Amino acid sequence: MTALLEVEDLRVAYGKIEAVKGISFTVDAGQVVTLIGTNGAGKTTTLRTLSGLLKPSGGTIRFEGKDLNKVPAHKVVSLGLAHSPEGRHIFPRMSIEDNLRLGAYLRDDRDGIAKDIQRAYDLFPILGERRRQAAGTLSGGEQQMLAMGRALMSQPKLLMLDEPSMGLSPIMMQKIMATISELKAQGTTILLVEQNAQAALSLADHGYVMEVGKITLTGTGQELLHDESVRKAYLGED
Ligand SMILES: Nc1ncnc2c1ncn2[C@@H]1O[C@H](COP(=O)(O)OP(=O)(O)OP(=O)(O)O)[C@@H](O)[C@H]1O
Ligand SMILES: [Mg+2]
């Protein structure tokens, strides 16, 4: 079986500074794979490169066997990659429903779009209750839900989530993590970037630890959760 996503020796630089220094990882269809690591490790840079927003300085990215380096950013979504970015980037003055619709901008199947908007409301009822309101009136956690819902509207083969739990209360965070589990159960393949290592590793099939641009450790979610160095560095144990 070939992996859905195959990243090999990926390098990304900002000018002379290399932020991603030759990382390799794979995501198989149906898996939840997490990239964890401290501030500045290069997690967001990696996701932005997968989305085509940054050009790699080296290495290869293959999606369903296809070389993504040759695909322009505006075509990446049409191949089946969706990105819920760090800091959400919803459109605050537009309604919640219009924000969701934007996620489906490449689709023209009206019935399918309506069905998927309903699916987002089923996942996150608060979005349905407030569908006509400006998205900027949502709380931080609710905006995160909207960003996830919007990413799902392109019916992605791979959903990339950049720190969905950032800035959320423990209850909101649990809700987001439960939704990620639910999406996995529905068959969505997810690449999850998180600083909350405990939550991410608990639900991930596989995890990679990133430190200053490199992958330093890899294993199943459970292996990493019980790894002594991970526990010390990321789970606040000594
Ligand atoms: N536009 C940019 N120009 C120059 N350097 C950048 C730029 N964006 C990020 N960097 C640097 O690249 C490195 C990796 O940043 P990145 O945002 O990928 O880290 P991260 O793992 O997502 O961190 P965090 O957990 O804080 O979100 C950092 O040293 C950062 O300062
Ligand atoms: Mg980041």
Side-chain angles (χ1 to χ4, degrees):
M1 192 178 88
T2 53
L4 180 63
L5 176 73
E6 226 176 332
V7 173
E8 212 177 304
D9 199 25
L10 181 70
R11 293 175 182 274
V12 192
Y14 296 105
K16 285 190 181 149
I17 298 170
E18 198 167 56
V20 174
K21 305 172 181 175
I23 62 166
S24 302
F25 64 94
T26 55
V27 181
D28 287 339
Q31 281 192 326
V32 174
V33 171
T34 187
L35 284 181
I36 58 170
T38 46
N39 291 117
K43 306 179 301 293
T44 296
T45 301
T46 301
L47 289 196
R48 290 178 58 84
T49 307
L50 295 177
S51 281
L53 299 169
L54 295 170
K55 283 284 156 237
S57 47
T60 52
I61 304 166
R62 274 187 295 272
F63 187 68
E64 294 189 303
K66 192 172 175 169
D67 188 351
L68 270 197
N69 297 20
K70 301 197 174 84
V71 178
H74 66 276
K75 287 268 165 65
V76 169
V77 174
S78 65
L79 292 181
L81 274 91
H83 184 176
S84 175
E86 191 176 0
R88 294 149 206 162
H89 299 284
I90 57 140
F91 295 93
R93 298 215 173 109
M94 288 173 57
S95 74
I96 288 157
E97 186 148 312
D98 285 344
N99 267 272
L100 286 174
R101 266 181 213 292
L102 270 185
Y105 71 102
L106 287 175
R107 298 171 58 185
D108 53 13
D109 56 324
R110 284 185 62 184
D111 294 350
I113 291 170
K115 209 183 254 174
D116 284 346
I117 287 178
Q118 190 53 51
R119 183 171 167 232
Y121 294 157
D122 291 341
L123 274 177
F124 303 114
I126 186 80
L127 299 183
E129 286 161 27
R130 295 175 59 182
R131 65 185 79 189
R132 307 264 168 247
Q133 288 181 30
T137 65
L138 294 170
S139 75
E142 291 159 356
Q143 289 185 26
Q144 186 57 57
M145 295 172 186
L146 180 56
M148 278 175 68
R150 185 181 57 188
L152 283 167
M153 289 300 297
S154 65
Q155 297 185 314
K157 293 172 186 154
L158 177 65
L159 175 64
M160 302 192 287
L161 303 173
D162 196 347
E163 304 218 23
S165 78
M166 187 166 57
L168 302 189
S169 68
I171 286 177
M172 273 295 187
M173 195 200 77
Q174 272 178 13
K175 164 76 188 146
I176 292 285
M177 290 298 161
T179 305
I180 293 172
S181 296
E182 198 175 327
L183 289 171
K184 175 184 154 76
Q186 292 172 9
T188 312
T189 308
I190 297 170
L191 179 57
L192 171 64
V193 161
E194 261 299 331
Q195 280 201 44
N196 187 324
Q198 174 85 43
L201 292 173
S202 301
L203 59 81
D205 296 295
H206 214 85
Y208 295 85
V209 179
M210 253 184 114
E211 278 169 31
V212 284
K214 292 190 170 149
I215 287 173
T216 52
L217 199 61
T218 171
T220 66
Q222 288 305 312
E223 280 164 3
L224 293 179
L225 205 49
H226 296 108
D227 180 274
E228 201 174 331
S229 63
V230 171
R231 299 196 73 81
K232 276 188 185 155
Y234 299 99
L235 304 175
E237 294 186 2
D238 42 39

